[in-house]
Amino acid sequence: MKFQNLATVVALIPYVLGFPHLANFPEYRSLAGLSPQEIRAVTRQFNSMPGAQPLPPPINDTSSKLINDADHPFMPLQPGDIRGPCPGLNTLASHGYINRTGVTTPGDIITAVQEGFNMGYQFASFLCYSAFVTDGNQLTNLMTIGANTTTDGQLATGINTHGNFEGDASLTRDDAYLGNNFNFNKTLFDVFDVAAKEVGNGVITFEAAALNRALRINDSIARNPEFAFETPRFLGGIAETGFFLAMFVNNQTVDNTMPLRIEDARSFFDFHRFPDGFYRRQGPFEFPLVKNVTYTLIDMIGRQPGNNNGVNNYVVNPEDPATFCYFYQKQVNATASLYPNPTPELGAAIKANLVTYYNTLEDPTCEQYFPYGQ
Ligand code: HEM
Ligand SMILES: *[C@@H]1O[C@H](CO)[C@@H](O)[C@H](O)[C@H]1NC(C)=O
Ligand SMILES: *[C@@H]1O[C@H](CO)[C@@H](O)[C@H](O)[C@H]1NC(C)=O
Ligand SMILES: *[C@@H]1O[C@H](CO)[C@@H](O)[C@H](O)[C@H]1NC(C)=O
Ligand SMILES: *[C@@H]1O[C@H](CO)[C@@H](O)[C@H](O)[C@H]1NC(C)=O
Ligand SMILES: *[C@@H]1O[C@H](CO)[C@@H](O)[C@H](O)[C@H]1NC(C)=O
Ligand SMILES: *[C@@H]1O[C@H](CO)[C@@H](O)[C@H](O)[C@H]1NC(C)=O
Ligand SMILES: *[C@@H]1O[C@H](CO)[C@@H](O)[C@H](O)[C@H]1NC(C)=O
Ligand SMILES: *[C@@H]1O[C@H](CO)[C@@H](O)[C@H](O)[C@H]1NC(C)=O
C-alpha cells in the first residue's frame, strides 16, 4: 500500500515539475526534441529502461516454408492496436509474428521479418535501425509500427513520422502534404491495376511494378509542391517496390521472377493479412539482392534523387549519390538533429545504437559518423 502511494506521488512529479503536457507519455514514443529536463521528467514514468540492446541472432533455416500457419492466425484489430504505413510489418503484427498491439522492439522486428518474409538478416537489421534511431524510444528500446495514436491525451507518431524515415510517393499511402500518410488508400492502390493491365497481362510483373513506381512518382511531382525525394527516401521508395516483388509473392524464387497477383497485393497492403497457404520466399532477400533489384528498378524508371520546387518542377540533386552508405550517413545526421541535447543516459543509448546501425552495413569503405563522439 505504502509503495503504491509512493508510486502515485512519483508519477505526479512531472506535473509538479511543470510539464503537464508530458503526463502519460507513452513508453514507445520517441524522445526526439525533448530537453534534458523533459527527458528526466518522462523517464520517471517508464517501467523499464534497458537502453541499447545487441542485435538478435540470425535465423538459421532460410528455406521456403508455410508462414500462414495454425500458430499464426490472422486476428482482427483490438481497440488500441497500432498499424502504420508498412504493409510488411502490419501483416506480421496481425498474424502475431510481432506483438499484435504494434508496440515492439527492434530485435523482435528483425527476427520477425526474417521468419515471416525471409528478409535477409543483415538488411533487416539495417532497415530496422534506420527507422528505430529516429522514431523509436532508445531508453525503453521500444518502437511502434505506427500510425498517429492518441493514448491518454498524448499524441504519438511512430514509423509514420513524416520526413524521418517515412516519405513521399508511397505506393498505397498518400503524401503527408496531401493527406493521411499511413492508412491504405484504394485510389492509389488502383494504380497497380493500371500498370498490370498495361504491361503485365493483369498481374504485377517486374515491368508492371516499375511502371507503377514511375506513375506514383509522377503523381507526386504533379500534385505535391513539397515533394521530397532525396536519399534516404529515394532509395527507400524504390526499394519498397522490390520488397513486394521479392516478399509478397507466394514461394517466390531467388531471382524474384514470379509476378504478384492483384488480390494478393490487396491482402497485404489493405488487409494486413497473409494469403491462405502463404509460403515465404526461397532464400533470404539480403543486401546484394536488395541492391541489384533497387538499382535495376532505378535504371528502368529513369529518375534521380531530387525535390519539387512547386508542382511539376522536379529538381534533381546532383550531389546525392543514392548509395546505401549515404543513406546511413544522412540518417545519422537526421538522428543527431533530432536529439541535439540528450541526457547522458540517452546519449549513451543513441551512440551505441548508431554503432550497431553502422555495423549492419558491413561496408568498410563507408565513412562511419560519430555525432556524439567516438
Ligand atoms: C525491417 C523492418 C521494416 C521497417 C522498419 C519498415 C518500415 C517501413 C516504413 C516506415 C514504410 C513507409 C515508407 C513510406 O512509404 O513512406 C514502409 C513501407 C513499405 N514496406 Fe516496410 N519496413 C520494414 C520491413 C518490411 C518488410 C519485411 C516488407 C515486405 C515483406 C516491407 C514492405 C514494405 C512496402 C511494400 C512498403 C511500401 C508501402 C507503400 O508505399 O504503400 N517492409 N516500411
Ligand atoms: C543460429 O545458429 C547459431 C550458431 O549455431 C546460433 O548461435 C544462433 O542462436 C542460431 N539462431 C537461432 C535463431 O536459433
Ligand atoms: C504484447 O504487448 C502487450 C502490451 O505491452 C503485452 O501485455 C503482451 O504480453 C505482449 N504479447 C506478447 C505475446 O508478448
Ligand atoms: C499526425 O501527427 C502529426 C503531428 O505529430 C501531424 O502533423 C499530422 O498531421 C498527423 N497526421 C494525420 C493524418 O493525422
Ligand atoms: C486517396 O488518395 C486520393 C489521391 O491523393 C485523394 O484524393 C483521396 O482523398 C484519398 N482518400 C482518402 C480516403 O484519404
Ligand atoms: C513520368 O513523367 C515523365 C516526365 O513528364 C514522362 O517522361 C514519363 O513518361 C512519365 N512516366 C510514366 C510512366 O508515365
Ligand atoms: C516452391 O517452388 C519450388 C520451385 O521453385 C517447388 O519445388 C516447391 O514445391 C514449391 N513449394 C510450394 C509449397 O509450392
Ligand atoms: C542482377 O542480377 C541479374 C541476375 O539475376 C544479373 O543479370 C544482373 O547483372 C544483376 N544486376 C546488377 C546491377 O547487379
Ligand atoms: C553530416 O553532417 C556533417 C556535420 O554537419 C556534415 O559535415 C556532413 O557533410 C553531413 N553528411 C551528409 C551525408 O549529409
Side-chain angles (χ1 to χ4, degrees), residues 90-326:
N90 290 344
T91 301
L92 291 167
S94 290
H95 284 266
Y97 280 97
I98 55 184
N99 196 307
R100 292 179 188 269
T101 59
V103 178
T104 181
T105 64
D108 281 351
I109 287 183
I110 291 164
T111 301
V113 298
Q114 294 172 82
E115 189 63 27
F117 284 114
N118 228 344
M119 184 179 263
Y121 174 68
Q122 191 198 331
F123 181 67
S125 302
F126 170 80
L127 187 65
C128 187
Y129 270 72
S130 297
F132 179 60
V133 291
T134 55
D135 295 340
N137 185 317
Q138 300 186 63
L139 284 177
T140 60
N141 195 46
L142 294 172
M143 63 191 289
T144 84
I145 63 172
N148 280 12
T149 51
T150 308
T151 312
D152 297 329
Q154 278 289 340
L155 174 70
T157 54
I159 58 170
N160 68 308
T161 309
H162 179 63
N164 284 358
F165 187 69
E166 190 283 333
D168 292 334
S170 304
L171 306 172
T172 66
R173 271 68 173 166
D174 243 324
D175 289 3
Y177 177 87
L178 298 170
N180 182 306
N181 69 337
F182 48 87
N183 285 346
F184 176 80
N185 182 309
K186 179 69 163 53
T187 310
L188 304 180
F189 180 82
D190 286 343
V191 180
F192 279 124
D193 240 352
V194 172
K197 290 204 173 92
E198 201 156 314
V199 297
N201 283 319
V203 293
I204 311 171
T205 57
F206 206 94
E207 280 65 35
L211 175 57
N212 169 259
R213 181 64 285 177
L215 289 168
R216 294 290 308 117
I217 292 170
N218 278 10
D219 184 40
S220 287
I221 290 175
R223 292 195 297 137
N224 179 354
E226 296 176 4
F227 176 48
F229 209 51
E230 293 188 12
T231 306
R233 180 56 194 152
F234 176 76
L235 277 186
I238 294 182
E240 280 152 23
T241 287
F243 289 3
F244 73 71
L245 283 166
M247 295 181 284
F248 287 172
V249 177
N250 189 10
N251 191 33
Q252 178 62 290
T253 50
V254 172
D255 58 6
N256 305 313
T257 46
M258 294 208 298
L260 180 64
R261 296 185 307 173
I262 298 279
E263 65 261 41
D264 289 346
R266 179 96 191 255
S267 182
F268 288 105
F269 279 100
D270 189 1
F271 308 128
H272 311 149
R273 186 172 190 154
F274 286 113
D276 287 343
F278 181 82
Y279 275 64
R280 70 182 185 192
R281 57 177 281 109
Q282 305 170 32
F285 190 54
E286 188 52 286
F287 253 123
L289 256 180
V290 173
K291 289 184 180 171
N292 182 310
V293 170
T294 306
Y295 291 112
T296 303
L297 285 166
I298 289 172
D299 282 348
M300 291 165 78
I301 296 159
R303 285 280 182 198
Q304 299 303 316
N307 294 294
N308 255 6
N309 187 1
V311 293
N312 279 317
N313 186 20
Y314 186 70
V315 182
V316 168
N317 176 2
E319 315 270 277
D320 185 331
T323 60
F324 283 89
C325 169
Y326 188 71

Side-chain angles (χ1 to χ4, degrees), residues 63-103:
S63 58
S64 176
K65 70 170 186 179
L66 181 68
I67 292 305
N68 193 358
D69 62 10
D71 288 342
H72 300 92
F74 173 83
M75 280 172 22
L77 295 180
Q78 299 298 308
D81 286 354
I82 298 172
R83 298 293 179 268
C86 177
L89 297 179
N90 290 344
T91 301
L92 291 167
S94 290
H95 284 266
Y97 280 97
I98 55 184
N99 196 307
R100 292 179 188 269
T101 59
V103 178

Side-chain angles (χ1 to χ4, degrees), residues 57-60:
I59 64 166
N60 292 312

